[in-house]
Amino acid sequence: QVQLVESGGGLVQAGGSLRLSCAASGSISSINAMGWYRQAPGKQRELVAAITRGGTTNYADSVKGRFTISRDNAKNTVYLQMSSLKPEDTAVYYCAYGHTILVVPTFTVDYWGQGTQVTVSS
């Protein structure tokens, strides 16, 4: 089993920035990818960004140029730096972990974090 602990969510004004962190623990595989999904009220859960151990990334078109995903393999931690935030970024953000070497074209998730609320005010 893999446990995911998220931090960094909160309330920010439009145009501001937040950084989310997610630390994985437990049965971490040498083959894995991590990332972030989000779900807004009335919307489907959608991929925001994902990253492999080797650094290959997959971003939603809506966040390209504004969000940056990174990871520290030694710490089994993934980060999401969110800049130029918009009200439409408001959602619960879920850390995700998958036993996969690929995040393109899709990221298959095996474990989910509990979610952290990001609210962007206009």
Side-chain angles (χ1 to χ4, degrees), residues 71-83:
R71 63 183 291 167
D72 185 333
N73 291 333
K75 296 181 179 179
N76 294 315
T77 299
V78 65
Y79 307 93
L80 186 68
Q81 178 65 50
M82 304 185 292
S83 300

Side-chain angles (χ1 to χ4, degrees), residues 12-37:
V12 65
Q13 292 185 331
S17 299
L18 285 173
R19 189 177 79 153
L20 305 183
S21 299
C22 174
S25 62
S27 301
I28 306 300
S29 174
S30 60
I31 302 297
N32 74 75
M34 299 181 69
W36 297 89
Y37 278 72

Side-chain angles (χ1 to χ4, degrees), residues 33-85:
M34 299 181 69
W36 297 89
Y37 278 72
R38 68 186 181 187
Q39 188 165 28
K43 299 290 187 68
Q44 296 184 123
R45 187 174 298 188
E46 64 176 354
L47 177 68
V48 178
I51 186 168
T52 68
R53 284 181 58 86
T56 300
T57 57
N58 185 357
Y59 290 95
D61 288 342
S62 60
V63 307
K64 287 179 180 176
R66 299 188 299 120
F67 292 9
T68 301
I69 191 168
S70 62
R71 63 183 291 167
D72 185 333
N73 291 333
K75 296 181 179 179
N76 294 315
T77 299
V78 65
Y79 307 93
L80 186 68
Q81 178 65 50
M82 304 185 292
S83 300
S84 301
L85 282 161

